[in-house]
């Protein structure tokens, strides 16, 4: 059931990511260390979105809101002198989970078009709230005073340490996702996506499972936000803008919806393409657009489906 | 095997010997950050064209070195600007970062650049923080400190005994600086102070509110695209003959081609104008019109000066880009032919310069253009230099 | 209370609402009849604005530019429908959202390739560059007054079309029960293409009129698109009447909220707090309104009658 080819592919991919710092050092291009760290942070966000979008069929256009909340949960305490990551990061996760609980509880009562609209509406509301708070930089945003401190154990100002922290978290999230998807929980979510009335007929309450998935996705999104603001050393409400949700969605689609590992590939492809192609032409998205349309129509498993083992039916 | 070893040693020796010479021929890398897309893109074009003209005038060499110009588009977003700066510093390993229109972007970028030990040569934004407590050895500007220009307008309107003024500006770092500068010299009654969203295009609702408050005059700060939209809509609402409009950074060579008669007769204050008479400016404006076919703006003049400033610094250290203290000392002398004429630097690396009253008048060709009416301030210093800890 | 100010802001709200209506009418028809969620509707608005700006620079006649924009966008719309959208009719909404999102990226980049990334500034026709004295004390920009008139005229036209013509009958039937309509021998494919093209033309009308007010740039469609979706959700999917009601409500609530919420709040919580809370709340108003409608009347205010 679990394809050997796929296990090898995933392992190879993760190994490659793990070796990036060494490669960047050898080539004397520290910029690529930064770039891949940024890619992995968005990969974490994309994986969390895939959980609800790819597996659960919940098209949330407001996922960037959780990244924003996570970012604020780090930057605001830092603004007031609280730099400990042990305070900031759990706060980021908790606040985003709470927000996801509130938003999900309301939104999941609707479906289809209304669900999309209402998740979008909530994200916009948070965005407008963010840009109106003058004390925290309003529309301009503000610099992060200092990267999250971990009491001397982990020094995030060291590029390599920070890289492996993000890498470790990505692997952990993937492992968590893998367990979830293969557990009964994951089965219920996926079944509800394909035929919700049937699930209810069997006796499940899809709402509770969907809400749980929504909260988990939101919490992981919050963690990604905390990492993002550490990466950029900047906080801006535009992290919550719905176009950022769109970017993450592109990574999920491109990588392969409902594949868990695909979004990582999608994040790598999207951001690398952006870096490489934008040196040649600014207009590379004119190809990306139709490519997405084709992927949605004919290649649901995206780039991941092209890899050895990726086309296998089971995740 | 021995042959290989000898070759390797020889190669190493050659590399060491050739090294310094090779280094001397390395080009100087200058990153230029501006807004090239979206509504603000029109300003970016002015700046980029002026940079190119400066490079032409210098024979495509800055300080005698070949130059590698790397342009970046900040999309008027501080986080994008900061990311661009990070990329320029780490990926392209630039020696100078220059440009930046918007004060909020500058506040995100300048500390990043100077923190990495690289020069930041601002060619427009003049947030007060960087003129005061956050002044830095590596940070210079060829423009002004934000407050200065509205201070001149405030003084003019105060001298004219204008009262009941309605004030509007976009809600970001520079917007607030402009209003503060205005109020530093204008002591009359201010009817209301309204801040709109940065980048807002439709001002009809705010114009209705303004009309309802019955002011005797209006003072606004709406740079670039915002000015174009505001001026057009102000005229369309029939307010031009009812309430006179005074402004800074709103009626200029960016907006006049788009709004034309809608701004005829308007007053502004500025440190420069295309008709400012000096040799460098005549050359700049003349060659610019010839090469690009439109009248340059102060955004362009500042960017042009920025390249000349960098050039003067590199010349002073004879191409040794690692001699940063030497380049700072050279820049402090402002020893280059600026389009504004001779000026000196204040202790916080902001220019001490004149400010003039300008008016939009009809030129002989039929176009509306800005012309200097009189001098409002001579050798005007900014209000924040006392807070700057640098001494030299 | 300055009543003249209130009247003027109501006019502003109506003008904004009318723009939203032009977009919403096309979008709701497409959603109601073809069951297609088309995120790229905003792109058609953008294409209309760009074509009008380009034609204006060639011909210097606003009217000619408008005709060119309408015809051109109609063509583009129908091409998009035939090439890209036909495959989407059978798919679920998720696929439609994602695929049309890809179309947005394509269109934004395509106009950037042709016209560049910087915004284009275009002007209102000279004849409308002034103001009209609607009431003593109210000088209203002539151009915006015309927008309101055009919008109301289109609404009237659509009413006549939908209720008193054969095409309108087919549209109403298709919105209620499309299978039946096909079974009765109507050429559904042609109907769909015509409806889509019509919606595209309406969006183009909105775009070409908006150009002088909002500036023309890549991505201009997405900013208004969210608000259009709010209009449709409030008004009811598939119904033109709902689109008009929703549009006017959203236009009014948003404009009046931005104008009067801050001064009203500052009497309650003080001016400096109102400085932060006022604009925030004003921006959120239409979304709060939409959430309320979804909670209490999820089908919208004037849903299309379902057969």
């Amino acid at each position: 059931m679990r394809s050997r080819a796929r296990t090898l592919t995933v392992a190879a991919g993760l190994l490659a990511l793990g070796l990036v710092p060494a490669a960047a050092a050898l080539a004397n291009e520290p910029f690529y260390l930064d770039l891949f760290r940024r890619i992995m942070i968005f990969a974490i966000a994309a994986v969390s979105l895939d959980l609800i979008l790819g597996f659960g069929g919940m098209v949330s256009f407001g996922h960037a809101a959780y990244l924003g909340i996570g970012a604020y949960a780090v930057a605001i305490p830092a603004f007031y002198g609280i730099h400990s990551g042990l305070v900031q990061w759990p706060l980021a996760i908790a606040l985003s989970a709470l927000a996801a609980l509130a938003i999900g509880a309301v939104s999941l009562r609707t479906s289809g078009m209304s669900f999309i609209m209402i998740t979008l509406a909530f994200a916009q509301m948070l965005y407008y709230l963010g840009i109106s708070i003058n004390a925290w930089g309003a529309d301009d945003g503000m610099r992060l005073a200092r990267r999250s401190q971990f009491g001397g154990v982990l020094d995030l100002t060291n590029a390599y340490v920070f890289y492996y922290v993000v890498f470790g978290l990505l692997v952990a999230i993937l492992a968590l996702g893998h367990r979830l998807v293969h557990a009964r929980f994951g089965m219920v979510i996926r079944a509800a996506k394909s035929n919700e009335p049937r699930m209810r007929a069997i006796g499940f309450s899809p709402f509770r499972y969907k809400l749980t998935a929504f909260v988990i996705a939101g919490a992981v999104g919050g963690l990604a936000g905390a990492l993002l603001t550490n990466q950029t050393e900047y906080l801006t409400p535009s992290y919550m803008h719905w176009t950022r949700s769109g970017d993450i969605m592109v990574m999920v689609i491109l990588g392969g919806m409902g594949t868990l590992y695909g979004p990582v590939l999608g994040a790598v492809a999207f951001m690398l393409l952006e870096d490489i192609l934008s040196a040649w032409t600014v207009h590379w998205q004119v190809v990306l657009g139709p490519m997405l349309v084709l992927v949605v129509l004919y290649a649901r498993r995206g780039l991941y489906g092209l890899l050895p083992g990726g086309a296998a039916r089971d995740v | 095997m021995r042959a290989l070893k000898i070759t390797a040693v020889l190669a190493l020796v050659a590399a060491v010997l050739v090294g310094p010479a090779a280094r001397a021929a390395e080009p100087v890398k200058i990153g230029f950050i501006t807004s090239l897309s979206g509504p603000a893109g029109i300003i970016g074009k002015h700046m980029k064209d002026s940079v190119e003209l400066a490079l032409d005038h210098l024979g495509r060499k800055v300080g005698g070195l070949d130059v590698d110009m790397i342009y970046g588009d900040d999309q008027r977003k501080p986080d994008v600007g900061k990311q661009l700066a990070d990329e320029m510093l780490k990926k392209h390993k630039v020696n100078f970062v220059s440009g930046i229109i918007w004060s909020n972007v500058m506040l995100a970028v300048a500390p990043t650049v100077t923190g990495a030990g690289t020069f930041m040569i601002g060619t427009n934004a003049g947030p007060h923080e960087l003129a005061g407590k956050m002044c830095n050895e590596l940070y210079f500007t060829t423009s002004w400190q934000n407050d200065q220009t509205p201070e001149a307008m405030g003084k003019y309107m105060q001298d004219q005994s204008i009262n009941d003024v309605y004030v509007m500006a976009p809600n970001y770092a520079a917007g607030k600086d402009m209003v503060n500068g205005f109020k530093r010299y204008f002591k009359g009654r201010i009817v209301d102070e309204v801040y709109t969203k940065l980048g807002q295009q439709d001002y009809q609702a705010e114009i209705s509110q303004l009309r309802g408050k019955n002011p005797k005059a209006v003072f606004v700060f709406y740079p670039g695209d915002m000015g174009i939209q505001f001026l057009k809509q102000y005229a369309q609402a029939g307010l031009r003959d009812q309430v006179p409009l005074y402004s800074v950074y709103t009626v200029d060579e960016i907006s006049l081609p788009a709004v034309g008669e809608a701004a005829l007769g308007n007053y502004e204050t500025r440190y420069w104008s295309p008709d400012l008479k000096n040799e460098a400016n005549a050359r700049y404006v003349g060659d610019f019109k010839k090469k690009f076919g439109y009248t340059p703006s102060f955004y362009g003049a500042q960017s042009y000066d920025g390249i000349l400033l960098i050039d003067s610094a590199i010349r002073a250290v004879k191409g040794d880009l690692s001699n940063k203290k030497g380049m700072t000392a050279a820049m402090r002398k402002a020893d280059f032919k600026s389009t504004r004429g001779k000026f000196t630097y204040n202790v916080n690396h902001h220019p001490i310069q004149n400010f003039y009253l300008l008016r939009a008048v009809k030129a002989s060709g039929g176009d509306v253009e800005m012309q200097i009416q009189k001098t409002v301030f001579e050798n005007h210093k900014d209000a924040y230099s006392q807070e700057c800890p640098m001494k030299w | 209370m300055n009543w003249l100010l209130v009247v003027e802001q109501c006019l502003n709200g109506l003008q904004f609402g009318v723009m939203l209506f032009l977009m919403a009418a096309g979008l709701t028809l497409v959603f109601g009849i073809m069951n297609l969620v088309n995120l790229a509707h905003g792109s058609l608005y953008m294409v209309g604005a760009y074509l009008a700006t380009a034609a204006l620079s060639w011909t210097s006649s606003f009217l000619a530019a408008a005709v060119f924009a309408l015809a051109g966008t109609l063509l583009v719309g129908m091409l998009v429908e035939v090439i890209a959208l036909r495959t989407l009719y059978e798919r679920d909404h998720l696929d439609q959202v994602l695929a049309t999102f890809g179309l947005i990226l394509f269109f934004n980049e395509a106009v950037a390739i042709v016209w560049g990334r910087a915004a284009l500034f275009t002007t209102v026709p000279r004849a409308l560059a002034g103001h009209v004295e609607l009431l003593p004390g109210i000088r209203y920009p002539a151009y915006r007054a015309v927008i309101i008139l055009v919008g109301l005229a289109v609404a009237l036209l659509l009413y006549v079309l939908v209720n008193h013509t054969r095409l309108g009958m087919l549209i109403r039937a298709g919105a209620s029960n499309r299978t039946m309509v096909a079974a009765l021998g109507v050429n559904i494919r042609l109907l769909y293409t015509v409806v889509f093209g019509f919606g595209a033309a309406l969006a183009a009308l909105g775009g070409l009129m908006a150009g002088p007010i909002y500036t023309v740039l890549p991505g201009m469609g997405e900013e208004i698109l969210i608000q259009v979706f709010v209009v449709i959700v409030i008004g009811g999917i598939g119904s033109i009447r709902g689109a008009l009601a929703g549009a006017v409500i959203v236009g009014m609530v948003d404009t009046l909220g931005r104008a009067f919420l801050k001064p009203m709040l500052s009497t309650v919580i003080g001016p400096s707090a109102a400085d932060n809370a006022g604009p925030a709340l004003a921006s959120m108003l239409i979304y709060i309104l939409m959430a309320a409608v979804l909670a209490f009347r999820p089908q919208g205010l004037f849903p299309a009658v379902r057969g």
Side-chain angles (χ1 to χ4, degrees):
Chain A
M1 285 208 285
R2 221 166 290 171
S3 135
R4 263 207 89 196
R6 186 183 46 245
T7 316
L8 283 173
T9 307
V10 170
L14 290 175
L15 187 66
L17 272 179
L19 288 175
V20 163
L26 277 173
N28 194 21
E29 295 276 10
F31 171 73
Y32 284 96
L33 184 76
D34 265 9
L35 180 63
F36 272 90
R37 197 169 58 212
R38 193 182 158 82
I39 289 177
M40 288 197 298
I41 293 173
F42 277 101
I44 293 177
V47 169
S48 71
L49 181 61
D50 193 28
L51 187 66
I52 51 174
L53 174 70
F55 290 100
M58 301 175 246
V59 184
S60 168
F61 250 105
H63 205 64
Y66 308 111
L67 272 95
I69 293 174
Y72 271 87
V74 166
I76 305 300
F79 181 66
Y80 291 112
I82 301 172
H83 300 289
S84 167
L86 295 169
V87 169
Q88 297 168 336
W89 293 21
L91 188 66
I93 296 175
L95 282 179
S96 346
L98 223 72
L101 183 65
I103 295 176
V106 177
S107 317
L108 285 168
R109 294 187 193 284
T110 66
S111 64
M113 194 50 197
S114 308
F115 178 79
I116 300 174
M117 283 313 300
I118 210 169
T119 52
L120 183 58
F122 277 116
Q124 285 295 90
M125 283 197 251
L126 281 171
Y127 168 70
Y128 284 124
L129 195 62
I131 64 175
S132 63
I133 302 180
N134 284 314
W136 296 340
D139 210 346
D140 296 344
M142 59 182 187
R143 299 178 64 86
L144 180 69
R146 210 182 300 172
R147 281 191 174 157
S148 303
Q149 315 272 45
F150 285 94
V153 176
L154 291 171
D155 179 19
L156 292 187
T157 55
N158 180 320
Y160 294 92
V161 170
F162 192 13
Y163 186 91
Y164 284 110
V165 166
V166 177
F167 180 68
L169 284 169
L170 176 63
V171 173
I173 301 291
L174 284 172
L176 172 71
H178 191 99
R179 299 291 318 261
L180 266 177
V181 162
H182 285 283
R184 195 176 86 141
F185 177 81
M187 293 296 161
V188 175
I189 301 285
R190 290 150 81 185
K193 176 188 176 195
S194 63
N195 196 326
E196 190 159 325
R198 183 177 357 180
M199 286 311 287
R200 261 185 260 123
I202 305 180
F204 283 101
S205 164
F207 177 77
R208 267 189 288 136
Y209 285 85
K210 281 175 139 181
L211 184 60
T212 312
F214 203 76
V215 171
I216 295 175
V220 175
L223 179 63
L227 292 171
L228 182 63
T229 196
N230 268 292
Q231 160 80 5
T232 59
E233 292 178 288
Y234 204 80
L235 171 76
T236 162
S238 70
Y239 287 154
M240 296 190 275
H241 199 248
W242 72 278
T243 46
R244 304 284 181 127
S245 294
D247 285 346
I248 304 174
M249 211 175 272
V250 170
M251 294 178 207
V252 174
I253 303 173
L254 199 59
M257 292 179 275
T259 60
L260 195 69
Y261 303 99
V264 178
L265 193 55
V268 172
F270 183 66
M271 295 178 73
L272 267 188
L273 272 177
E274 190 175 38
D275 186 64
I276 298 173
L277 290 183
S278 57
W280 292 346
T281 164
V282 232
H283 300 298
W284 61 285
Q285 289 204 3
V286 80
V287 173
L288 178 71
M291 216 159 80
L292 285 179
V293 177
L294 291 173
V295 166
V296 170
L297 290 179
Y298 303 117
R300 290 300 289 262
R301 295 181 79 79
L303 287 173
Y304 186 68
L306 300 173
L307 293 177
R313 293 272 303 167
D314 206 353
V315 170
Chain B
M1 203 38 173
R2 261 199 96 202
L4 266 170
K5 282 196 188 163
I6 293 175
T7 321
V9 171
L10 279 174
L12 205 61
V13 171
V16 170
L17 286 177
V18 174
R23 240 186 293 129
E26 243 186 59
V28 56
K29 298 205 184 103
I30 306 178
F32 195 84
I33 298 178
T34 182
S35 301
L36 294 168
S37 63
I42 186 172
I43 301 180
K45 180 174 180 359
H46 274 239
M47 289 176 110
K48 188 170 177 199
D49 285 350
S50 293
V51 167
E52 288 296 313
L53 185 65
L55 294 176
D56 283 348
H57 280 177
L58 292 175
R60 305 309 290 189
K61 280 190 195 295
V62 176
L65 301 175
D66 285 325
V67 62
D68 197 358
M69 283 303 303
I70 298 146
Y71 293 101
D73 174 17
D74 62 17
Q75 302 172 33
R76 191 157 49 195
K77 295 188 179 120
D79 61 312
V80 176
K82 186 178 183 301
Q83 200 181 321
L84 273 177
D86 281 333
E87 207 175 295
M88 287 176 174
L89 291 167
K90 294 199 185 126
K91 185 177 182 188
H92 301 285
K93 306 196 176 83
V94 297
N95 309 103
F96 298 87
V97 178
S98 187
I100 302 197
I101 303 169
W102 311 99
S103 293
N104 51 356
V105 179
M106 183 61 95
L107 285 170
V109 170
T112 304
V113 176
T114 54
T118 305
F119 277 98
M120 175 77 228
I121 309 295
T123 63
N124 192 65
H128 74 269
E129 293 89 337
L130 296 176
K133 296 198 197 74
M134 286 170 71
C135 68
N136 191 295
E137 279 201 353
L138 297 168
Y139 176 76
F140 281 84
T141 176
T142 55
S143 57
W144 18 257
Q145 195 276 312
N146 285 343
D147 294 36
Q148 289 180 300
T149 310
E151 280 169 8
M153 183 50 91
K155 174 155 196 324
Y156 172 71
M157 289 174 72
Q158 174 70 10
D159 289 347
Q160 301 288 108
S161 307
I162 297 172
N163 229 334
D164 289 333
V165 179
Y166 194 92
V167 173
M168 289 178 73
N171 187 20
Y172 77 119
K176 306 201 186 104
D177 277 354
M178 297 298 162
V179 177
N180 283 340
F182 178 72
K183 292 199 287 195
R184 196 167 285 125
Y185 281 77
F186 178 75
K187 298 301 173 197
R189 200 167 35 247
I190 291 183
V191 171
D192 206 353
E193 228 173 86
V194 174
Y195 292 96
T196 53
K197 186 164 170 20
L198 180 64
Q200 183 169 325
Q201 305 290 300
D202 187 1
Y203 293 96
Q204 177 56 28
E206 282 81 11
I207 290 175
S208 302
Q209 290 293 101
L210 184 163
R211 205 206 300 278
K213 287 274 170 130
N214 248 326
K216 297 274 184 317
V218 176
F219 170 71
V220 302
F221 161 64
Y222 279 122
D225 54 301
M226 295 177 271
I228 295 178
Q229 295 302 98
F230 185 83
L231 289 168
K232 282 199 289 190
Q233 290 163 15
Y234 195 81
Q236 281 160 15
L239 277 171
R240 257 174 65 79
D241 50 346
Q242 288 184 327
V243 186
L245 178 63
Y246 300 86
S247 57
V248 288
Y249 301 101
T250 307
V251 182
D252 51 35
E253 295 73 31
I254 302 275
S255 55
L256 280 175
V259 307
E261 311 257 331
L264 187 60
N266 280 35
Y267 287 101
E268 283 243 335
T269 50
R270 205 154 16 253
Y271 83 101
W272 175 92
S273 179
D275 64 323
L276 185 61
K277 298 211 183 328
N278 66 67
E279 198 189 312
N281 199 29
R283 185 182 181 215
Y284 168 64
V285 176
D287 284 358
F288 192 94
K289 281 187 182 168
K290 233 182 287 165
K291 179 165 177 157
F292 298 106
Y294 64 94
T295 308
S297 59
F298 56 92
Y299 296 102
Q302 287 148 199
S303 306
Y304 180 86
D305 277 5
I307 301 296
L308 295 189
L309 178 67
I310 296 175
D311 174 72
S312 74
I314 300 179
R315 264 184 224 286
V317 296
K318 305 219 190 328
D320 181 8
L321 294 172
S322 61
N323 182 2
K324 301 210 173 137
K325 289 236 182 295
M327 288 198 276
T328 295
M331 287 191 193
R332 282 172 172 165
K333 298 202 192 104
D335 185 16
F336 68 97
K337 293 199 168 52
S338 166
T339 50
R340 79 203 76 190
K342 193 100 185 61
F343 74 95
T344 52
Y345 268 118
N346 202 340
V347 69
N348 55 12
H349 296 175
H350 286 64
I352 300 174
Q353 58 198 342
N354 297 350
F355 283 84
Y356 310 100
L357 180 72
L358 275 61
R359 197 168 196 204
V361 298
K362 239 198 179 121
S364 48
D367 284 336
V368 182
E369 62 181 39
M370 303 305 286
Q371 281 179 12
I372 297 178
Q373 309 292 301
K374 62 176 188 161
T375 307
V376 180
F377 283 137
E378 251 181 50
N379 295 323
H380 187 59
K381 291 186 181 171
D382 66 273
Y384 298 92
S385 49
Q386 312 277 44
E387 297 173 25
C388 172
M390 284 197 296
K391 302 274 172 272
W392 49 274
Chain C
M1 204 7 131
N2 187 342
W3 289 110
L4 285 181
L5 177 60
V6 176
V7 170
E8 200 174 325
Q9 294 293 21
C10 281
L11 281 173
N12 293 333
L14 188 58
Q15 181 249 300
F16 181 42
V18 146
M19 290 278 223
L20 291 174
F21 168 66
L22 288 172
M23 292 276 283
L27 195 60
T28 200
L29 274 184
V30 166
F31 199 165
I33 298 173
M34 290 119 86
N35 201 18
L36 174 73
V37 179
N38 179 22
L39 248 48
H41 198 71
S43 303
L44 295 169
Y45 166 89
M46 175 180 73
V47 167
Y50 267 103
L51 288 178
T53 309
L56 190 62
S57 65
W58 303 329
T59 68
S60 304
S61 157
F62 197 82
L63 224 47
V67 170
F68 179 75
L70 286 172
T73 313
L74 184 69
L75 207 66
V76 168
M78 294 205 285
L79 268 173
V80 166
E81 198 265 343
V82 170
I83 297 176
L85 297 179
R86 284 212 172 145
T87 37
L88 288 174
Y89 292 137
E90 286 87 49
R91 303 282 192 131
D92 63 32
H93 285 167
L94 168 61
D95 283 357
Q96 292 172 354
V97 164
L98 299 175
T100 50
F101 182 71
L103 281 179
I104 291 179
L105 296 182
F106 168 74
F107 273 113
N108 280 341
E109 215 54 51
V111 298
I113 291 177
V114 177
W115 284 285
R117 285 219 135 87
L120 298 179
F121 296 94
T122 175
T123 48
V124 308
R126 283 216 71 127
L128 298 176
H131 57 271
V132 284
E133 194 110 9
L134 289 177
L135 288 172
I138 298 188
R139 287 185 168 191
Y140 203 67
Y143 185 68
R144 292 180 192 251
V146 167
I147 291 181
I148 295 177
L149 289 175
V150 168
L152 292 177
V154 168
L156 191 63
L157 186 77
L158 280 177
Y159 169 76
V160 167
L161 179 78
V162 167
N163 288 311
H164 298 286
T165 66
R166 190 180 149 78
L167 175 63
M169 183 179 68
L170 288 175
I171 289 177
R172 273 181 290 138
S176 302
N177 195 329
R178 91 180 59 87
T179 343
M180 194 49 120
V181 173
L184 287 174
V186 175
N187 186 344
I188 275 289
R189 278 200 155 184
L190 184 62
L191 179 67
Y192 281 11
T193 309
V194 166
V195 169
F196 193 83
F198 198 58
L202 284 174
L205 183 61
L208 74 96
M209 292 204 295
I213 298 180
Y214 291 110
T215 77
V216 179
L217 72 160
M220 63 187 285
E222 281 68 80
E223 292 172 29
I224 198 172
L225 189 68
I226 307 183
Q227 295 162 318
V228 173
F229 273 113
V230 171
V231 165
I232 296 184
V233 168
I234 292 179
I237 294 172
S239 123
I240 303 244
R241 196 172 0 146
L244 185 60
V248 173
I249 292 174
V250 168
M252 288 291 194
V253 166
D254 191 62
T255 307
L256 294 175
R258 280 175 205 284
F260 297 115
L261 202 55
K262 194 173 89 164
M264 289 202 294
L265 272 182
S266 62
T267 56
V268 177
I269 62 176
S272 57
D275 242 354
N276 273 328
L281 206 53
S283 317
M284 300 199 287
L285 266 180
I286 61 172
Y287 299 104
I288 297 175
L289 185 63
M290 180 183 82
V293 168
L294 277 174
F296 297 117
R297 201 180 148 84
Q299 67 271 46
L301 296 176
F302 296 101
V305 178
R306 288 265 155 208

